[in-house]
Amino acid sequence: MVILVHVKKTWPQHLGGQLTAEESVLGDWAPIARAALEEYGDVLGAVHENVIVAVYDIDPDATTFVDKNTVRFAGVPSTRWAHLIGQPNPGRAWGRRGYARNVQYLDTAVVAGGDVTAHPTPEGRRAVVGGFTLTVTDDGNAVVLVPADRTLTVKPVPGPVGEPSAESPS
């Protein structure tokens, strides 16, 4: 399970050299109850400007409670989840008219990524996930069939942190 923290104040301090990445991300976070830490405390993802900027494997034995609901994490940079760095926030968007709390919880299935099994068809490779059907043709184009009661949102893959994405002006 994954805990996401919003490092809107501390990550700029890290970028400016005032804090290490560990100080920025592992810091003191509230409100996190012991039960939530036990259930979700495998991976800690730091989100700045709705992009993952750091990911840590949490060491539950070294993680401490500063007070009843404030946690000081212990962990090491994650190699298993490092591919998330630079990716969009997989949780609820933070910011104006977005999520207000500084902590979110996710099932790792949301961020596990990877490819689902695709089956060859005359049109191309085809995969079905949750009723959505994706077919990728031999020329690399895609066709998506969307269930009648669902919606589809298409977003460009962002560039590395600090570089403009297709959504941002250069």
Side-chain angles (χ1 to χ4, degrees):
M1 301 297 216
V2 178
I3 298 174
L4 295 176
V5 292
H6 192 200
V7 291
K8 69 179 178 182
K9 294 179 182 174
T10 60
W11 196 252
Q13 293 175 325
H14 162 65
L15 295 175
Q18 293 94 7
L19 295 176
T20 65
E22 290 80 9
E23 290 169 330
S24 169
V25 176
L26 300 176
D28 293 350
W29 294 99
I32 298 176
R34 287 185 191 276
L37 180 62
E38 289 172 10
E39 182 176 353
Y40 294 96
D42 299 323
V43 179
L44 181 67
V47 178
H48 182 256
E49 295 182 356
N50 284 305
V51 173
I52 298 215
V53 294
V55 184
Y56 288 83
D57 292 324
I58 298 172
D59 178 351
D61 296 327
T63 294
T64 58
F65 276 85
V66 177
D67 60 36
K68 183 179 176 188
N69 292 317
T70 303
V71 174
R72 184 170 298 141
F73 291 103
V76 296
S78 180
T79 54
R80 179 176 180 199
W81 301 102
H83 67 279
L84 296 174
I85 296 172
Q87 297 299 313
N89 174 1
R92 294 178 61 189
W94 269 299
R96 189 173 179 181
R97 295 188 181 133
Y99 194 68
R101 297 181 187 260
N102 61 357
V103 177
Q104 296 183 43
Y105 306 99
L106 292 176
D107 187 305
T108 49
V110 173
V111 295
D115 294 334
V116 296
T117 303
H119 302 282
T121 68
E123 295 82 28
R125 293 175 295 140
R126 178 179 179 267
V128 178
V129 177
F132 290 79
T133 303
L134 170 66
T135 303
V136 178
T137 62
D138 291 337
D139 62 3
N141 292 312
V143 176
V144 179
L145 299 176
V146 180
D149 61 339
R150 306 299 300 271
T151 60
L152 173 69
T153 303
V154 178
K155 295 182 177 182
V157 175
V161 176
E163 291 184 14
S165 72
E167 290 183 44
S168 62
S170 32

